[in-house]
């Protein structure tokens, strides 16, 4: 995957909508602010001007049975990008593609998404993928870059800056993060396009905090399933072992229950 020079906007409605209007593979739309950012499951994605980074990158579709890995691979690329470079944080994943960072000196209103590996974690980035009319895929990733505590959109959010201790990030950090994310996304996409999900799966599982935990899955049909997150199937779907047996979840929101 060779990326075009990113198209940069100070502000735009939604980078995903922009990219979907002309979904050429390799196209990258970037904005520091979105006035109508879209989140998963019909929610909005909000970030004050200048604090966030919105990226929509267009990739060719992969084999139908591997398509479920694409958004997971994007979360993985974002987590790895945050964990690398000159301003690294200990990033992790919540299935399917929420990117988490440790809460450092949380402000009074800040809440953890989950507790694992001896730390409390907040959401630092999210992914929303959309299939274009051409069959190509727009992968939208929103990263909370420079938010101060009072700028966080929800109590369970955090930002790269806050995970680094709270001082504003140096000049150039945002560009380095974008480059690292796009490089990772291209690598994982190439593996999937070659028909092999094993590398994505192994790397994803290393960074996913959901597996082994007690969860409630809020399903797209409005219902819930409670149980232990047991693993991922070959398509990247979440396997949950509950009182009624094993269930397979291709989509949904995972709520982590507090450890007993
Ligand atoms: O709900 C989520 O966690 C997913 C959020 C995805 C936000 C990104 S920002 C770039 C792209 N443009 C959008 O309108 N949404 C996605």
């Amino acid at each position: 995957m060779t990326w075009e020079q990113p198209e940069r906007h100070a502000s735009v409605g939604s980078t995903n909508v922009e990219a979907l209007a002309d979904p050429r593979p390799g196209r990258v739309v970037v904005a520091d602010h979105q006035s109508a950012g879209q989140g998963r499951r019909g929610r909005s994605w909000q970030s004050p001007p200048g604090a966030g980074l919105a990226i929509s990158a267009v990739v060719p579709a992969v084999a139908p049975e591997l398509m479920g890995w694409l958004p997971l691979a994007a979360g993985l690329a974002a987590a790895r990008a945050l964990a690398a470079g000159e301003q690294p944080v200990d990033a992790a994943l919540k299935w399917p593609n929420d990117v988490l960072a440790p809460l450092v000196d949380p402000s009074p209103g800040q809440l953890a998404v989950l507790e694992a590996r001896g730390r409390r974690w907040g959401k630092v980035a999210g992914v929303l993928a959309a299939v274009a009319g051409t069959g190509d895929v727009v992968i939208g990733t929103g990263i909370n870059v420079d938010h101060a505590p009072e700028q966080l959109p929800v109590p369970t959010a955090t930002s790269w800056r806050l995970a680094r201790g709270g001082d504003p990030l140096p000049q150039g950090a945002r560009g380095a993060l974008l480059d690292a994310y796009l490089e990772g996304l291209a690598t994982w996409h190439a593996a999937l396009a070659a028909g092999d999900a094993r590398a994505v799966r192994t790397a994803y599982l290393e960074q996913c905090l959901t597996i082994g935990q007690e969860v409630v899955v809020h399903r797209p049909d409005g219902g819930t399933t409670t149980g232990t997150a047991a693993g991922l199937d070959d398509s990247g779907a979440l396997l949950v072992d509950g009182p009624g047996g094993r269930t397979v979840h291709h989509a949904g929101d995972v709520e982590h229950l507090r450890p007993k």
Side-chain angles (χ1 to χ4, degrees), residues 14-16 34 37-40 45 54-56 123 126-127 140-142:
S14 155
T15 56
N16 267 20
Q34 300 179 112
Q38 300 174 351
R40 292 176 61 237
W45 178 261
I55 310 162
S56 293
K123 178 168 171 174
V127 175
T141 299

Side-chain angles (χ1 to χ4, degrees), residues 40-83:
R40 292 176 61 237
R41 307 189 78 197
R43 292 185 289 252
S44 66
W45 178 261
Q46 293 177 357
S47 213
L53 177 61
I55 310 162
S56 293
V58 187
V59 297
V62 297
E65 66 275 15
L66 299 183
M67 281 287 273
W69 287 103
L70 262 185
L72 275 61
L76 175 60
R80 288 258 181 121
L82 285 161

Side-chain angles (χ1 to χ4, degrees), residues 101-191:
L103 297 182
V104 176
D105 297 332
S107 52
Q110 251 187 307
L111 298 173
V113 173
L114 60 89
E115 296 181 28
R117 299 183 184 171
R119 317 186 80 157
R120 302 174 72 234
W121 301 80
K123 178 168 171 174
V124 68
V127 175
L128 176 68
V131 179
T134 55
D136 300 303
V137 185
V138 172
I139 299 183
T141 299
I143 304 174
N144 298 336
V145 173
D146 240 329
H147 297 58
E150 65 278 9
Q151 294 179 307
L152 296 172
V154 292
T156 50
T158 190
S159 68
W160 187 20
R161 166 181 169 174
L162 292 175
R164 288 286 309 162
D167 290 334
L169 293 160
Q171 281 267 326
R174 188 178 280 269
L177 181 68
L178 173 63
D179 290 348
Y181 165 74
L182 289 175
E183 189 182 331
L185 182 59
T187 301
W188 301 125
H189 177 268

Side-chain angles (χ1 to χ4, degrees), residues 203-219:
Y204 181 91
L205 287 174
E206 266 171 25
Q207 259 167 300
C208 181
L209 302 179
T210 298
I211 309 307
Q213 290 223 347
E214 295 301 303
V215 297
V216 179
V217 181
H218 296 266
R219 304 188 310 257

Side-chain angles (χ1 to χ4, degrees), residues 6-15 18-19 27-34 52-54 174:
E7 298 162 36
R8 293 174 178 277
H9 300 261
S11 184
V12 75
S14 155
T15 56
E18 279 289 314
R27 185 176 179 214
V28 180
V29 181
V30 177
D32 290 337
H33 176 250
Q34 300 179 112
L53 177 61
R174 188 178 280 269

